[in-house]
Amino acid sequence: MTSSPSSSLTIRDFRPEDAEAVATAHRAGREHLVLSAETLVWLNAQPSPEEHFRTFVAELDGRVVGAVRCGVVLGTTTTGVGYANGSVLPGFRRRGAATALLAAAERHLTGHGVTEVHTWLDDEPASLAFGAAKDYRLGRTMQFAGRDLTLPLPPAPVLPAGVELRPAADWAADPHPVFLVESDAILDEPGSEVPMDAYKYEDWLRNDWTRPDRDLALSVVAVVDGRPAAFSMVQTDGVDRYWSAFTACRREFRGRGLTKSAKLESLRLAAAAGYRHAYTSNDTTNGPMLAINAWLGYERCAGERKGIKQLKRPSAHLL
């Protein structure tokens, strides 16, 4: 355990009983983010020998007011890249918690060979100024958009011959064909600073497919002649909020409207299941997906900027 110079602030490792408070801090002022306490517990219980995933928690006067999740970026041949994403309850900011959390994450990552760390900053003046003060340069921009699922959805387009839409749950026993869609699509994902050119099936199974908030019944796969070609993967809070985790299409099948149909069908299923608030995000250079989301009725509700910082390796006498 480490403490800041202030006796009231403590930075420590995550405990399962922190999950609800950490989830609340993560969502505070960001209603477009969907993250459940159950998922936080699951993330921190997962073995991650290569990712070195860790969550640090900030306590002020004995209350959990924020946290940062950090680890090594997997799925790429680029070495030395890590991530650190955190948040602090609005009423407890400017008291050193965010600074201490980020410092703890950077120390942890440096200890595992990370020389470049990426974080997401809310696209608003205070957050961007915080990143600049911590030596993060600004990178790409992301746009969040929301949709009221109680409002009518657009009519479904006619599917091309040989195409069918099926729930991702149909691949529960063997999801490898679905993984092949994602591993192909991310090779040219718009805006990515790190090429995702070494994505492992085992990592995808552990970190994505088996997440407790992944809803395989609402996730929809577009199948072409019996082969998964595109999908819209979904996470939910189990109550009324729906998140489009990733919508992707194998490059050879693009231009046929498959992702558009899959995402619309997923939204239709979500509305029928009682979900009322749908959210999604896109890199602001991703014109095709931004156009699909506008057609689906999404409206911009928030933005983020990527922050990137070069970390210094510790001196030999400190190792």
Side-chain angles (χ1 to χ4, degrees):
M1 179 192 297
T2 60
S3 298
S4 76
S6 169
S7 60
S8 65
L9 173 61
T10 300
I11 306 299
R12 60 168 175 79
D13 280 315
F14 174 90
R15 303 168 188 157
E17 58 267 29
D18 300 325
E20 195 60 57
V22 171
T24 298
H26 180 71
R27 296 190 302 258
R30 303 152 149 183
E31 290 305 309
H32 52 281
L33 299 182
V34 178
L35 181 66
S36 67
E38 178 189 11
T39 300
L40 281 167
V41 173
W42 178 84
L43 286 169
N44 284 277
Q46 288 286 92
S48 58
E50 295 180 334
E51 187 179 11
H52 302 290
F53 179 84
R54 196 166 176 184
T55 299
F56 294 100
V57 168
E59 279 189 358
L60 272 170
D61 300 323
R63 175 180 176 178
V64 173
V65 299
V68 62
R69 303 184 307 282
C70 57
V72 178
V73 174
L74 301 180
T76 178
T77 55
T78 303
T79 59
V81 180
Y83 64 89
N85 295 310
S87 54
V88 174
L89 286 169
F92 293 88
R93 293 173 185 170
R94 296 181 177 84
R95 294 178 59 181
T99 296
L101 284 168
L102 192 56
E106 291 176 359
R107 286 193 298 270
H108 170 69
L109 295 173
T110 300
H112 290 287
V114 170
T115 56
E116 181 178 286
V117 60
H118 294 192
T119 190
W120 284 108
L121 302 163
D122 292 331
D123 195 4
E124 50 87 18
S127 182
L128 298 180
F130 173 82
K134 305 306 176 189
D135 299 321
Y136 283 81
R137 63 177 176 83
L138 293 180
R140 63 189 177 115
T141 57
M142 291 285 287
Q143 173 180 301
F144 292 94
R147 191 197 198 285
D148 183 345
L149 283 177
T150 66
L151 299 177
L153 289 160
V158 177
L159 292 174
V163 176
E164 60 177 330
L165 302 177
R166 294 167 53 186
D170 286 358
W171 285 268
D174 178 18
H176 190 260
V178 179
F179 165 75
L180 292 178
V181 176
E182 181 158 347
S183 61
D184 181 78
I186 61 174
L187 291 174
D188 62 353
E189 185 178 4
S192 180
E193 298 89 352
V194 180
M196 302 303 290
D197 54 357
Y199 204 22
K200 296 179 182 178
Y201 179 52
E202 295 76 15
D203 292 334
W204 177 80
L205 279 178
R206 183 181 67 243
N207 296 329
D208 292 287
W209 184 259
T210 58
R211 285 177 63 111
D213 56 357
R214 175 61 50 87
D215 194 319
L216 297 181
L218 301 184
S219 298
V220 173
V221 179
V223 180
V224 178
D225 297 328
R227 176 188 178 191
F231 62 63
S232 184
M233 286 291 154
V234 171
Q235 293 161 205
T236 67
D237 67 355
V239 182
D240 67 350
R241 300 171 76 243
Y242 162 110
W243 170 254
S244 293
F246 192 33
T247 301
C249 184
R250 291 188 70 125
R251 289 170 292 173
E252 65 189 278
F253 292 106
R254 291 177 185 170
R256 305 186 193 183
L258 301 181
T259 53
K260 185 179 192 178
S261 294
K263 196 162 189 177
L264 174 60
E265 176 64 6
S266 179
L267 288 170
R268 187 192 68 78
L269 292 172
Y275 288 90
R276 295 294 176 261
H277 307 286
Y279 298 98
T280 191
S281 69
N282 297 103
D283 187 273
T284 55
T285 66
N286 191 349
M289 279 308 305
L290 290 171
I292 288 174
N293 289 332
W295 176 79
L296 289 167
Y298 282 95
E299 295 182 353
R300 188 185 189 280
C301 61
E304 279 186 335
R305 295 291 303 273
K306 174 65 73 70
I308 302 170
K309 179 179 180 178
Q310 303 302 314
L311 299 179
K312 296 180 181 179
R313 292 186 181 277
S315 301
H317 71 276
L318 295 177
L319 295 174

